[in-house]
């Protein structure tokens, strides 16, 4: 793209004091998302953040359908619209890869879970070892993909100065600010999600033989569900009951991510279509 958003660290997700009635719905939704601290790295907070983004893009879609918004954005200039299109495309790509990763993870976790249940009933661990090995490979790829996506996020993290707030029309300033805040908040939430996926590196492949060892005493640091499952597979704590419990937790968490990312991806598509429609007219 001709325009690359200036790289600046996001310091605040609040809108400027000079607002406009047309941006009130977006402003209210942004403020609700601000109350969710996704930087804690907990699955629950990140799920809430993703759900908030779905709501935010519903508001954004309605906002972009307003005739007043379309007229103002049409007059904002090609640089700003290029910025919005570039950001929307990057966010769509990141969301799409993320939802595909979650769908694949969901399938692998269900497979391991099924093997654990069968082993507990009928004995035999070959299928379990194969399923766990597949999950290990998936986690390795997940970390790699998450780091790539985090790199892509950095290219849209920040704001541009293409509009002079001191001289531009008040409505124009409010619209541009609102749209940039939507992008910036999306970056914050997705960054937290991808950091959760990247997790800690662990040498789990070399410890597959320990998958079904009895529970050992250990001191566990604060971990998310994926990291905890990695530790269980490492053999730190890996009785049948332990492994099954952790698999259930991961399956529930990943299923929630998959659903929210699917919903967000669809809304991002509609938002991009609205932006393209404004340009074409």
């Amino acid at each position: 793209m001709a325009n690359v958003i200036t790289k600046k660290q996001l310091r605040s997700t609040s809108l400027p004091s000079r607002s406009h009635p047309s941006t009130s719905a977006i402003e209210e939704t942004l403020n609700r998302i601000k109350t969710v601290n996704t930087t804690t790295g907990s699955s629950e907070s990140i799920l809430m953040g993703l759900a908030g983004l779905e709501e935010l893009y519903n508001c954004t879609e309605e906002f972009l359908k307003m005739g007043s918004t379309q007229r103002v954005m049409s007059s904002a200039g090609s640089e700003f619209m290029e910025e919005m299109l570039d950001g929307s495309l990057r966010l769509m790509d990141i969301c799409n890869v993320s939802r595909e990763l979650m769908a694949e993870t969901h399938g692998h976790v269900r497979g391991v879970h099924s093997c654990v249940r069968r082993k507990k009933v009928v004995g035999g661990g070959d299928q379990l070892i194969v399923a766990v090995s597949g999950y290990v490979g998936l986690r390795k790829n997940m970390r790699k993909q998450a780091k790539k996506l985090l790199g892509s996020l950095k290219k849209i993290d920040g704001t541009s100065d293409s509009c002079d707030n001191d001289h531009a029309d008040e409505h124009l300033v409010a619209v541009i600010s609102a749209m940039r805040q939507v992008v910036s908040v999306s970056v914050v939430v997705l960054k937290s999600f991808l950091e959760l996926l990247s997790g800690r590196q662990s040498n789990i492949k070399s410890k597959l033989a320990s998958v079904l060892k009895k529970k050992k005493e250990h001191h566990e640091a604060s971990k998310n569900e994926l990291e905890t499952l990695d530790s269980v597979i490492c053999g730190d704590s890996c009785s049948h009951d332990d492994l099954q419990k952790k698999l259930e937790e991961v399956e529930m968490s990943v299923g929630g991510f998959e659903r929210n990312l699917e919903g967000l991806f669809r809304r991002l598509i509609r938002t991009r279509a609205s932006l393209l429609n404004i340009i074409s007219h």
Side-chain angles (χ1 to χ4, degrees), residues 47-92:
L47 280 168
M48 291 175 63
L50 290 171
L53 287 186
E54 287 189 69
E55 182 184 356
L56 178 61
Y57 278 95
N58 277 335
C59 291
T60 302
E61 184 182 3
E62 294 302 314
F63 177 64
L64 292 175
K65 287 179 180 178
M66 296 170 59
S68 59
T69 302
Q70 293 177 2
R71 285 191 295 273
V72 168
M73 290 189 70
S74 295
S75 68
S78 59
E79 186 179 356
F80 170 69
M81 293 305 295
E82 190 76 12
E83 174 188 326
M84 289 295 103
L85 286 173
D86 180 63
S88 70
L89 182 59
R90 290 182 187 276
L91 289 172
M92 277 176 54

Side-chain angles (χ1 to χ4, degrees), residues 212-218 235-240 242:
L212 298 176
K213 281 184 180 178
K214 295 295 182 179
K215 183 176 180 179
K216 299 176 182 178
E217 292 205 5
H218 65 290
D236 294 339
S237 171
C238 48
S239 67
H240 264 114
D242 248 342

